[in-house]
Amino acid sequence: MDEAKDAFLGLLATLEGDELLSFETFVGAAIEERLHMINKEYEEQQHGDHEHHAGCNHDHGPRTVEGGHVARSGGSKIFKLNKIIEDLRERLPIHAEAPNEAVSIPDSEEFEGYTKDNMVHVDGFLYTEDDVDELCDSGKLSRNYCLKCGSKETRPLNFISHSASVVQLQFLFQVLLKDKIQNKVLLDVGSRLGAVLYAGYLFTEAKKLVGVEMNDYFCKLQNDMVRKHRMQDRIEIVHDNLLNRATLLQGADVVIMNNVFQFFSPVEVQRQLWEFLYTQMKGRKGAILVTVPSLQEQLKDAGLIGAKKSKSKKKKVPVKPPGAVSAVSKEESEEGSSVGNWSSWLREIQVRVTGEEFVEEMMEDDLEQLKLIHVYEVL
């Protein structure tokens, strides 16, 4: 104990100002988290060692936990994630886009009416809704845009994010994948800022977390964060096009795809990428695929399902006698085992969103974010 105290005081002597205040917050959160774990282990041991007998007034039924178990604030893991967010904010502009990054607006119903003039990107990992309010109040962001220069005629801007929010990542790793990722390999396709990788490192016991990213600016940024926060033991950043890395998909137990293709690839490239993913994953029974938005929506936007039917007149087909077998066309045969016919190779896992998993009360906007997460299992 004396050695621990001396080492602690020696460490304090190296810190000053804001660093000392930050360390104070960290130490308090770490001690609180450690005490919680010790108490939990003690309660579980007491429950296991207790001998039930006639007249015993203990509850012998199955135990239930009152309230949620996921805390959005407090704890050393959240503290460390927030430090990474602070570092990224210092390195990036508010829109968190790479220099010369090409972004296109998807031609879909969801983004109908969106233009480069009425759309603004605010990264959901770096900024919460409260942060956005503060940015708007300070004049660093605007919520509206002018329809005519110099006039008072305005409309609300459309806010989008290319990253998962912290609450989405906590829900994903601490609830949805809690029992599915231990000692597994996770692949984040289009890892961008590295949000999925950092959260996966802190909130799970995944064996390895790999991010594949085409943009060299974001790859350097991720590698800098991984080195600074000492996560090299389990995180790897691959700078390449997914199409060149079949082995990454073949070796992954969990594949994360958060808003990865729609804003960054033409439709024909999106089709190629989805076909490639299907080819590499279709035989990997039990592998998990997580998408935001839903796989169905993304395949539809890529023209792989729900294609518009031709308006040409249909030819009348003679009625076949009972027992006759219809010939199956080549197109129909291929459809039975294609990426577009997703239910032939994937099973969607029901995602139940109530907010009860969290210690703090959840706002409706937070719950809506969680509903965007879809989880599938390879058949």
Side-chain angles (χ1 to χ4, degrees):
M1 175 61 77
D2 289 337
E3 290 182 4
K5 289 179 180 178
D6 290 340
F8 183 72
L9 291 173
L11 182 59
L12 287 180
T14 65
L15 303 173
E16 294 181 356
D18 291 341
E19 285 187 341
L20 183 59
L21 293 173
S22 179
F23 187 68
E24 178 190 17
T25 304
F26 169 76
V27 170
I31 291 175
E32 181 183 353
E33 186 173 294
R34 180 59 184 153
L35 288 173
H36 174 75
M37 289 177 62
I38 292 172
N39 288 334
K40 184 178 179 182
E41 290 171 359
Y42 175 77
E43 289 173 2
E44 289 176 350
Q45 182 180 0
Q46 289 294 101
H47 182 80
D49 293 343
H50 172 68
E51 293 183 4
H52 303 302
H53 54 79
C56 175
N57 59 5
H58 287 83
D59 180 12
H60 298 170
R63 291 185 300 160
T64 59
V65 179
E66 293 184 6
H69 65 278
V70 181
R72 296 181 61 186
S73 60
S76 59
K77 294 175 182 177
I78 287 293
F79 179 87
K80 189 164 187 177
L81 193 63
N82 285 334
K83 291 299 295 181
I84 295 173
I85 289 172
E86 288 178 16
D87 289 341
L88 287 169
R89 284 185 180 183
E90 290 179 2
R91 294 276 299 268
L92 292 162
I94 292 176
H95 57 71
E97 293 178 343
N100 303 318
E101 183 177 17
V103 177
S104 58
I105 301 170
D107 183 17
S108 64
E109 293 179 8
E110 182 183 358
F111 299 103
E112 186 175 355
Y114 280 49
T115 67
K116 292 184 178 179
D117 294 326
N118 67 23
M119 183 181 74
V120 60
H121 175 252
V122 179
D123 195 273
F125 178 61
L126 301 184
Y127 300 98
T128 64
E129 282 293 327
D130 289 341
D131 294 329
V132 172
D133 289 338
E134 289 182 14
L135 290 170
C136 290
D137 291 342
S138 64
K140 295 179 180 179
L141 267 183
S142 175
R143 288 195 177 277
N144 301 290
Y145 72 102
C146 293
L147 294 175
K148 296 178 181 178
C149 186
S151 74
K152 295 182 179 180
E153 191 177 357
T154 63
R155 284 185 183 171
L157 284 165
N158 298 301
F159 285 80
I160 63 167
S161 172
H162 299 314
S163 296
S165 66
V166 172
V167 69
Q168 283 179 313
L169 292 169
Q170 284 191 272
F171 184 66
L172 175 63
F173 289 124
Q174 295 181 281
V175 180
L176 298 182
L177 300 181
K178 183 180 179 182
D179 302 319
K180 297 180 173 67
I181 200 168
Q182 186 173 3
N183 296 321
K184 303 291 186 181
V185 176
L186 177 145
L187 174 65
D188 183 23
V189 179
S191 51
R192 200 169 178 84
L193 307 186
V196 169
L197 305 177
Y198 313 137
Y201 185 97
L202 294 170
F203 297 135
T204 77
E205 295 182 14
K207 180 171 65 177
K208 190 174 183 180
L209 302 115
V210 182
V212 57
E213 172 59 55
M214 290 178 60
N215 190 292
D216 57 348
Y217 175 85
F218 285 136
C219 284
K220 183 180 185 305
L221 184 67
Q222 290 175 86
N223 278 315
D224 288 347
M225 292 298 111
V226 168
R227 283 192 294 269
K228 180 174 182 179
H229 295 276
R230 299 178 182 179
M231 295 178 166
Q232 307 99 309
D233 58 321
R234 290 195 290 141
I235 292 181
E236 178 187 356
I237 310 300
V238 177
H239 180 203
D240 205 349
N241 188 322
L242 179 65
L243 295 173
N244 300 327
R245 297 284 181 158
T247 53
L248 292 181
L249 285 169
Q250 293 165 3
D253 302 294
V254 178
V255 177
I256 310 289
M257 304 180 71
N258 181 76
N259 193 20
V260 65
F261 297 149
Q262 290 172 299
F263 282 88
F264 307 102
S265 302
V267 171
E268 58 272 17
V269 177
Q270 291 182 41
R271 290 174 185 158
Q272 186 180 6
L273 286 162
W274 281 116
E275 292 286 358
F276 180 75
L277 181 135
Y278 161 71
T279 302
Q280 304 306 324
M281 288 192 69
K282 63 180 179 180
R284 303 212 60 238
K285 184 177 181 180
I288 298 294
L289 175 65
V290 179
T291 71
V292 176
S294 71
L295 176 68
Q296 298 91 312
E297 183 178 334
Q298 295 187 64
L299 292 178
K300 181 179 179 182
D301 288 349
L304 289 167
I305 61 174
K308 294 181 180 179
K309 296 180 180 180
S310 172
K311 293 183 179 179
S312 60
K313 293 182 180 179
K314 296 181 180 179
K315 295 181 179 179
K316 291 185 178 180
V317 180
V319 178
K320 296 179 179 63
V325 179
S326 300
V328 179
S329 67
K330 180 181 178 183
E331 291 77 7
E332 289 173 325
S333 177
E334 291 175 349
E335 173 67 17
S337 59
S338 69
V339 61
N341 187 17
W342 66 271
S343 60
S344 68
W345 64 286
L346 291 172
R347 173 181 71 89
E348 183 164 15
I349 298 173
Q350 187 66 35
V351 175
R352 182 171 174 267
V353 177
T354 65
E356 296 174 357
E357 301 85 1
F358 289 83
V359 174
E360 300 90 342
E361 183 179 355
M362 298 288 286
M363 303 298 288
E364 189 61 35
D365 287 346
D366 293 324
L367 296 177
E368 290 303 313
Q369 284 187 44
L370 303 185
K371 292 176 183 177
L372 296 175
I373 303 172
H374 292 260
V375 183
Y376 307 84
E377 182 180 17
V378 178
L379 298 173

